[in-house]
Amino acid sequence: MEDKVKISVVVPVYNAGTYLDACVASVLGQSLPPEEYEAVFVDDGSTDGTGERLVAAVAGHDHVRVVRTENSGGPGRPRNLGLDMARGEYVYFLDCDDWLGPEALERMYAMAARNRSDVLVGRLVGHGRGVPRRLFRRDRDRAEILAHHLLTLLTPHKLFRTAFLREHGLRFPEGPVRLEDHRFCVPAYLKAEVISVLASYPCCHWVKRADEGNYSSRRFDPEHYFGALREVLDMVDEHVPPGETRDRFYAHWLRGKMLQRVGGRRLLNYPPEYRRELYAAVRRLAVERFAPGTDRFLPAGYRPRAVILRAGSYAELEALAEAEKRIVVRARAVEMRLENGALTLVLSAELVYRDGGPVPFRRVDRNGGRRVLWNPPVVLGTPIPEEARDMTDALPRAGVEVFARHRSTRDEAAFAVIARRREEEGPDEHLLFDVRARLEGLADLAPGAWDLRVRINACGWNPHRRVPGVWLLVSLDGAAELRVDRAFPGAPEGFRRLRRVGRRVPGLRRAVRVVRTLS
């Protein structure tokens, strides 16, 4: 059997509960013949009966092994144990909360074998989790780390050539550590000769547990966390010489792991005492490792945040976060149509402040050319240079996403979108879009209520909001029905007439609001 094993699936397991059922079923139900793959489940000292449940679930399947060990405090050690036992040409790391598509192993192996890939990134589908869309735009036999956005997915849900991992001694950090996935995947990316992306098939379904049991969901100790990030940066330094390419790598973590945590709603959601602790650790690392030249590779909206962070003014950083928190989307449905198993929406979407005023970008003439600047709507003592407020190149790249989100599971389904930005005269530019969006295959959606949401991606801001007044109800037999909560221009005339009549009934509107609140 050993010579024929194409893939070893390694699954660390800890107190998985019922989440384990879908994971095991997906591993056992692969289209690849059982003699051509194996699974190694490593129970890391579960205390809820998961070990016994796992042994019973895989009984009679000779290509599945279960290993039980003392708890190590993190997924690194069980993954390493599984890697040591792996007999496959390739190894795939799957978490016990997640599950594979039926043809995942067969398709991933075929692509990896054809390209002699060291690493293959199979498409992830998020369930309550955001998944990087740019990474999975299309299949790529040979992907580049920066050009094809590989750093946007540093979880271990990937196919690795086993000999490649062993040749370079690539292992997961063990114990209750942070960024263990980055500290494994980043050197794998940097050492790999061939990295492939399989985007055309949903290989892995990545689940956010309702009980927040995922290891990475726990609040972290800033000193520990950013100490781990220093190790990741050391790995980049080892393989990438100083210069623009290294700055581009660094900008990924400066944006996603540092500035994102000390800005906008993310910062303000933390308790005040924790904010200070987090800010101190982020600033210390920023001053130590991130030169101002890195900022040019940040999203435009993050650059003022970086300037204030380095200047050391926590109060101003918090004030800027309050201002950014007020940036929202105003969406207005104009027309909707449900036909042939598809939903078409026509709507407008605008980037506004919470008080309803549009977010203005000031047009200025500089050196014989026109530039567009964002002036934060807050008084700051730290001077923000114009280059840190310059949105000229960022605004044309702004875009719109429309998606349906299941109210219970938080699963999402993306619409195909055509968005046209309205051009306006005057001293300021605004982001106002006319949008036409279409969602096919409504019968494939899970039963239940689906809210319709609009996201504007601009300058590093990504606010989204429910389209008011409409939602989608999918029945058990797959039939989809549009529900209208209140009148809008595209609503049926009968509904609008009923609305007008209702306004003349004393107390009715207040009673409806009370009922909605209770429901």
Side-chain angles (χ1 to χ4, degrees), residues 235-250:
M235 295 171 181
V236 174
D237 291 352
E238 181 183 346
H239 294 85
V240 183
E244 181 175 313
T245 299
R246 183 189 287 185
D247 288 347
R248 288 182 181 274
F249 272 91
Y250 268 46

Side-chain angles (χ1 to χ4, degrees), residues 70-322:
E70 293 183 2
N71 181 254
S72 65
R77 184 168 182 267
R79 287 180 185 140
N80 289 337
L81 288 175
L83 175 59
D84 290 340
M85 298 174 63
R87 297 176 297 180
E89 180 184 352
Y90 284 87
V91 60
Y92 186 88
F93 294 102
L94 178 70
D95 286 344
C96 62
D97 321 294
D98 309 323
W99 46 282
L100 295 170
E103 301 175 19
L105 299 186
E106 182 178 5
R107 288 175 179 255
M108 286 191 293
Y109 180 81
M111 186 179 200
R114 184 178 70 248
N115 293 294
R116 191 58 178 166
S117 307
D118 294 318
V119 183
L120 183 142
V121 186
R123 179 181 159 196
L124 260 64
V125 177
H127 297 272
R129 293 184 175 277
V131 173
R133 291 181 173 85
R134 292 183 299 177
L135 172 58
F136 297 118
R137 282 177 177 164
R138 66 179 182 86
D139 290 352
R140 299 185 188 277
D141 289 340
R142 291 178 174 266
E144 298 180 18
I145 297 174
L146 295 175
H148 300 135
H149 315 289
L150 295 179
L151 292 179
T152 60
L153 187 66
L154 290 173
T155 68
H157 305 79
K158 298 175 179 67
L159 192 72
F160 298 90
R161 189 163 60 83
T162 310
F164 162 75
L165 296 180
R166 291 172 177 165
E167 175 188 351
H168 293 284
L170 293 174
R171 312 277 289 178
F172 287 93
E174 298 187 2
V177 297
R178 283 288 177 175
L179 296 178
E180 83 286 341
D181 45 3
H182 290 225
R183 291 150 74 181
F184 182 85
C185 291
V186 168
Y189 277 166
L190 292 169
K191 295 175 184 293
E193 293 186 10
V194 179
I195 305 174
S196 302
V197 176
L198 176 58
S200 56
Y201 182 78
C203 297
C204 180
H205 294 259
W206 190 26
V207 179
K208 181 175 178 60
R209 289 174 58 162
D211 61 1
E212 296 187 343
N214 302 77
Y215 176 68
S216 61
S217 69
R218 306 170 195 165
R219 182 179 294 178
F220 60 87
D221 169 46
E223 290 300 326
H224 182 153
Y225 186 92
F226 292 108
L229 181 52
R230 282 181 175 86
E231 291 188 28
V232 176
L233 298 176
D234 290 343
M235 295 171 181
V236 174
D237 291 352
E238 181 183 346
H239 294 85
V240 183
E244 181 175 313
T245 299
R246 183 189 287 185
D247 288 347
R248 288 182 181 274
F249 272 91
Y250 268 46
H252 168 77
W253 286 281
L254 179 59
R255 178 191 72 241
K257 299 301 181 184
M258 298 171 64
L259 293 175
Q260 196 173 76
R261 298 183 187 275
V262 294
R265 192 180 303 274
R266 186 79 172 270
L267 175 67
L268 300 174
N269 282 344
Y270 290 125
E273 65 279 3
Y274 184 74
R275 296 180 203 170
R276 289 277 188 175
E277 183 183 0
L278 179 65
Y279 158 78
V282 169
R283 182 173 185 270
R284 188 157 48 250
L285 181 57
V287 172
E288 174 189 325
R289 299 292 291 264
F290 294 85
T294 309
D295 294 2
R296 69 189 188 277
F297 301 113
L298 293 172
Y302 281 48
R303 294 170 193 162
R305 201 180 302 177
V307 172
I308 294 173
L309 177 68
R310 289 195 185 89
S313 176
Y314 172 78
E316 291 185 354
L317 196 68
E318 195 172 65
L320 182 62
E322 289 281 2

